[in-house]
């Protein structure tokens, strides 16, 4: 009776598209390419792929297994299987909720730039009125127009609401089954245009050739090896939507006949491929346009909101009559990426309420849960929307400490910065030391073949490699905070390693002492 209001995927392909949709998001487009270029090109890619296999793949299959076995979202699942780490489920619901406060706003920006390019294509505004829609002017105008931002934020959230409120297979699954292939095709169109622009090769060299970013003057100094690991790991984590309860939730809707190993590999591979493709789509165009305008390499914005809405809008507005067409294709693809991630974030919070209702014997209708979750998100998102990346100056009291430029950064540092790496580290310790690891492995093997080699690999990763890698990632993030805070003579990296190391050691002992061998069954 308990499960009657829980949905399930229509097919494994539907599940895969939804999981890839969650993974492929803004992080792939505005984070990965720049981080790769800045942190050593191909070398970074190798570090990223290794981390993807030894950490990302392992955590992803564990999360899917925990979700599928318990048929619960993260709060219910961790509560059921762990006596010591029950509470990490809450971290995993807290982060998606907080991330939605700004993901919706960024989705709103995509809609606004889509509208701008649609208007330009329809009316030829530039020729008719003699105004140019360059990136920095439009971006500044948008950020200082809080009503517009608020309305588009709500519009974006409204679209997500409509998708989430349906059945899983008619809503999330259907959207991704159409959206993901469409995104892929659009990406190819943008790539073809981008790499054929004069000067595009400089962008490709920035992204792929080790050391080129410094040599050509894009950046002053390359990060150290440890920070490369930390940057690559943090990016991989965010990009694969890990430690956010998403894979637990999506796994809980999956049938036992499907192979979790194969599915996890496909998700990691697809997400990395799209990140590389996104880089080839955006970086060469951005660099080529910078060269054409005589901008110094160090001044070209290649990451974050400015890459999407300033640099690339410049590319489209200077491309001539066909520019708005490419603008429409590009912002639509970013919009699809943003929606498919946002709906997965909403789903985690929804699953929490649905599970809680079931557990209490008072089933909650999915539609109702989606509605109230979206209302709560609307409230936090409106604050971020009105702030306009700090343009409003309303929330500067948080910025005065120097560690957050705006409300969006503030929200981001708690979710992506603290809750995610911490949640993943604890989850690995729980699976590796508190639970009976073989139970988790048995679930991972369902629907596939069990081999000794895989078991050894998995145990090695979950017990040793993953927790240590998570500590390094976490240390890098803490170091980032301290660098911004400029705490006197303290060495930020050192502080990061001490704090992260201490957390790792403490929870390692917590996991190992007292009653162990909780079962996943
Ligand atoms: N993976 C998404 C991206 O790359 C972001 C995301 C993170 C989505 C966590 C859901 C959960 O942008």
């Amino acid at each position: 009776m308990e499960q009657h209001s829980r949905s399930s995927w229509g097919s494994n392909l539907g599940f895969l598209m939804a999981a890839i949709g969650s993974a492929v998001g803004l992080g792939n487009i505005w984070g990965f390419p720049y981080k790769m270029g800045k942190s050593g090109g191909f070398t970074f890619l190798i570090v990223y792929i290794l981390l993807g296999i030894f950490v990302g793949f392992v955590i992803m299959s564990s999360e899917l297994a925990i979700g599928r076995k318990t048929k619960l979202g993260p709060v219910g699942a961790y509560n059921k299987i762990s006596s010591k780490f029950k509470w990490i489920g809450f971290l995993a619901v807290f982060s998606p909720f907080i991330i939605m406060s700004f993901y919706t706003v960024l989705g709103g920006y995509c809609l606004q730039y889509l509208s701008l390019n649609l208007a330009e294509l329809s009316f030829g505004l530039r020729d008719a009125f003699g105004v140019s829609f360059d990136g920095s002017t439009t971006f500044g105008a948008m950020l200082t127009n809080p009503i517009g931002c608020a309305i588009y934020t709500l519009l974006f959230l409204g679209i997500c609401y409509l998708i989430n409120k349906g059945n899983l297979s008619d809503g999330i699954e259907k959207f991704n089954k159409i959206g993901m292939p469409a995104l892929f095709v659009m990406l190819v169109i943008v790539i073809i245009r981008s790499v054929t622009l004069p000067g595009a090769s400089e962008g490709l060299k920035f992204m792929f050739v080790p050391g080129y970013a410094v040599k050509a003057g894009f950046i002053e100094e390359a990060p150290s090896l440890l920070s490369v690991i930390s940057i690559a790991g943090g990016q991989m984590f965010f990009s694969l939507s890990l430690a956010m309860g998403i894979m637990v939730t999506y796994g809980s809707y999956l049938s036992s006949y499907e192979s979790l190993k194969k599915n996890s590999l496909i998700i990691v591979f697809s997400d990395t491929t799209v990140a590389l493709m996104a880089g080839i789509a955006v970086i060469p165009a951005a660099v080529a346009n910078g060269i054409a305008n005589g901008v110094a390499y160090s001044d070209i914005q290649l990451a974050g909101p400015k890459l999407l809405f300033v640099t690339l809008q410049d590319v489209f507005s200077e491309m001539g009559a066909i520019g708005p067409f490419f603008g429409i294709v590009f912002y639509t693809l970013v919009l699809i990426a943003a929606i498919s991630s946002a709906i997965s974030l909403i789903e985690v919070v929804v699953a929490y309420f649905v599970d809680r209702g079931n557990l209490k014997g008072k089933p909650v209708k999915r539609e109702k849960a989606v509605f109230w979750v979206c209302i709560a998100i609307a409230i936090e998102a409106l604050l971020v929307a009105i702030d306009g990346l700090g343009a409003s100056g309303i929330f500067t009291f948080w910025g005065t400490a120097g560690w957050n430029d705006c409300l969006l950064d503030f929200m981001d540092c708690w979710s992506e910065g603290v809750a995610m790496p911490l949640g993943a580290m604890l989850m690995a310790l729980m699976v590796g030391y508190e639970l009976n690891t073989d139970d988790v492995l048995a679930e991972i093997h369902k629907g596939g073949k069990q081999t000794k080699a895989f078991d050894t690999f998995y145990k090695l990763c979950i017990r040793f490699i993953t927790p240590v890698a998570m500590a390094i990632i976490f240390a890098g993030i803490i170091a980032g905070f301290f660098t911004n805070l400029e705490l006197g003579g303290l060495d930020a990296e050192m502080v990061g390693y001490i704090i992260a190391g201490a957390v790792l050691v403490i929870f390692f002992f917590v996991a190992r002492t007292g009653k162990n061998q909780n079962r996943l069954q």
Side-chain angles (χ1 to χ4, degrees):
M1 166 230 141
E2 273 193 1
Q3 257 115 55
H4 78 278
S5 56
R6 275 196 132 250
S7 327
S8 55
W9 302 111
S11 66
N12 192 52
L13 181 73
F15 156 75
L16 270 177
M17 289 295 126
I20 294 171
S22 170
V24 170
L26 297 174
N28 297 57
I29 304 166
W30 79 21
F32 180 87
Y34 177 71
K35 287 180 190 167
M36 175 165 161
K38 176 180 95 166
S39 327
F42 261 122
T43 331
F44 175 90
L45 184 60
I46 292 168
V47 174
Y48 187 90
I49 291 175
L50 288 176
L51 282 167
I53 295 169
F54 288 99
V55 181
F57 164 74
V58 169
I59 295 197
M60 169 136 350
S61 36
S62 313
E63 286 197 21
L64 290 173
I66 290 173
R68 184 166 76 176
K69 185 77 198 181
T70 57
K71 293 269 175 286
L72 291 167
V75 171
Y78 289 117
N79 201 23
K80 189 166 171 188
I81 61 177
S82 167
S83 44
K84 296 171 195 156
F85 294 101
K86 289 178 178 183
W87 47 278
I88 48 179
F90 281 102
L91 278 185
V93 171
F94 165 82
S95 315
F97 179 70
I98 296 292
I99 289 198
M100 276 307 278
S101 73
F102 58 86
Y103 224 79
T104 30
V105 176
L106 298 168
Y109 293 168
C110 293
L111 279 170
Q112 284 176 278
Y113 272 84
L114 181 59
S115 318
L116 178 72
N117 283 276
L118 280 168
E120 172 67 16
L121 187 73
S122 315
F123 305 107
L125 299 172
R126 178 203 273 265
D127 293 338
F129 300 97
V131 278
S132 115
F133 292 97
D134 70 280
S136 53
T137 315
T138 50
F139 197 50
M142 181 180 77
L143 294 181
T144 47
N145 176 22
I147 298 194
C149 292
I151 289 178
Y152 275 93
T153 297
L154 293 181
L155 191 60
F156 178 83
L157 186 59
I159 297 173
C160 297
Y161 165 73
L162 291 177
I163 299 171
N164 276 86
K165 102 178 175 22
N167 265 341
L168 211 53
S169 44
D170 295 336
I172 298 185
E173 192 169 336
K174 201 175 208 175
F175 177 82
N176 283 296
K177 260 168 122 174
I178 302 170
M180 285 303 110
L183 179 143
F184 192 83
V185 172
M186 287 188 257
L187 207 47
V188 172
I189 297 176
V190 181
I191 287 178
I192 294 173
R193 177 67 280 214
S194 172
V195 296
T196 48
L197 289 169
S201 61
E202 282 295 286
L204 289 174
K205 283 195 219 153
F206 163 79
M207 217 179 125
F208 289 98
V209 179
Y212 194 74
V214 178
K215 204 169 104 201
F218 285 100
I219 54 165
E220 265 175 28
E221 202 186 341
S224 67
L225 181 65
L226 270 179
S227 38
V228 170
I229 296 180
S230 175
I231 295 170
Q235 171 66 26
M236 175 212 60
F237 239 74
F238 185 74
S239 192
L240 289 176
S241 306
L242 294 174
M244 289 279 216
I246 288 176
M247 295 303 160
V248 177
T249 308
Y250 276 15
S252 74
Y253 303 141
L254 188 65
S255 122
S256 297
Y257 299 113
E258 309 301 344
S259 160
L260 295 187
K261 277 176 287 185
K262 203 162 86 202
N263 279 335
S264 305
L265 264 186
I266 296 178
I267 300 167
V268 175
F269 176 79
S270 311
D271 183 63
T272 311
T273 308
V274 172
L276 280 170
M277 286 175 70
I280 301 173
V282 298
I283 303 280
V287 173
N289 203 58
I291 295 175
N293 289 317
V295 182
Y297 281 0
S298 57
D299 291 337
I300 307 177
Q301 294 281 352
L302 294 174
K306 286 201 173 144
L307 165 74
L308 287 190
F309 305 120
V310 176
T311 316
L312 287 164
Q313 175 54 29
D314 275 342
V315 173
F316 304 129
S317 87
E318 285 168 25
M319 209 181 255
I322 194 75
F325 166 76
F326 282 105
I328 292 166
V329 174
F330 179 72
Y331 290 112
T332 307
L333 91 82
V334 182
L335 183 66
I336 295 176
I339 293 177
S340 59
S341 296
I343 53 184
S344 72
L345 291 159
I346 296 177
E347 187 60 27
V348 175
V349 192
V350 169
Y352 167 66
F353 288 106
V354 171
D355 288 347
R356 208 174 70 141
N358 282 343
L359 240 80
K360 285 188 167 174
K362 287 192 215 143
V364 177
K365 272 227 181 82
R366 184 182 163 78
E367 252 187 84
K368 200 169 150 200
V370 174
F371 179 77
W372 287 109
V373 168
C374 286
I375 293 285
I377 291 172
I379 295 170
E380 51 166 5
L382 281 176
L383 294 177
V384 179
I386 288 167
D387 188 39
L389 300 183
S392 73
I394 304 175
F395 301 105
T396 40
F397 54 94
W398 272 322
T400 45
W403 60 318
N404 287 298
D405 293 336
C406 58
L407 188 57
L408 188 153
D409 276 3
F410 178 79
M411 299 299 233
D412 187 34
C413 84
W414 289 109
S415 47
E416 195 187 340
V418 179
M420 271 177 106
L422 195 62
M425 190 202 287
L426 299 183
M427 195 271 244
L429 292 174
M430 177 191 79
V431 174
Y433 298 101
E434 186 197 2
L435 288 189
N436 180 343
T437 315
D438 289 325
D439 286 350
V440 184
L441 270 169
E443 184 61 35
I444 291 178
H445 288 308
K446 250 188 227 158
K449 259 210 272 67
Q450 174 153 21
T451 59
K452 226 174 156 162
F454 183 88
D455 290 1
T456 315
F457 161 80
Y458 180 86
K459 285 183 182 164
L460 185 75
C461 291
I462 202 84
R463 293 200 177 137
F464 304 105
I465 302 181
T466 301
V468 172
M470 289 325 301
I472 296 178
I473 296 169
F474 195 32
I477 290 163
I478 303 173
F481 289 164
F482 280 93
T483 316
N484 290 347
L485 277 173
E486 285 171 10
L487 284 186
L490 272 186
D491 178 19
E493 276 208 358
M494 198 63 165
V495 176
Y497 282 108
I498 293 174
I499 297 180
V503 173
L504 178 68
V505 172
I506 291 171
F507 283 104
F508 169 73
F509 284 110
V510 169
R512 289 206 45 166
T513 44
K515 183 177 168 293
N516 267 326
Q517 300 290 296
N518 282 339
R519 309 298 302 253
L520 174 68
Q521 53 188 353

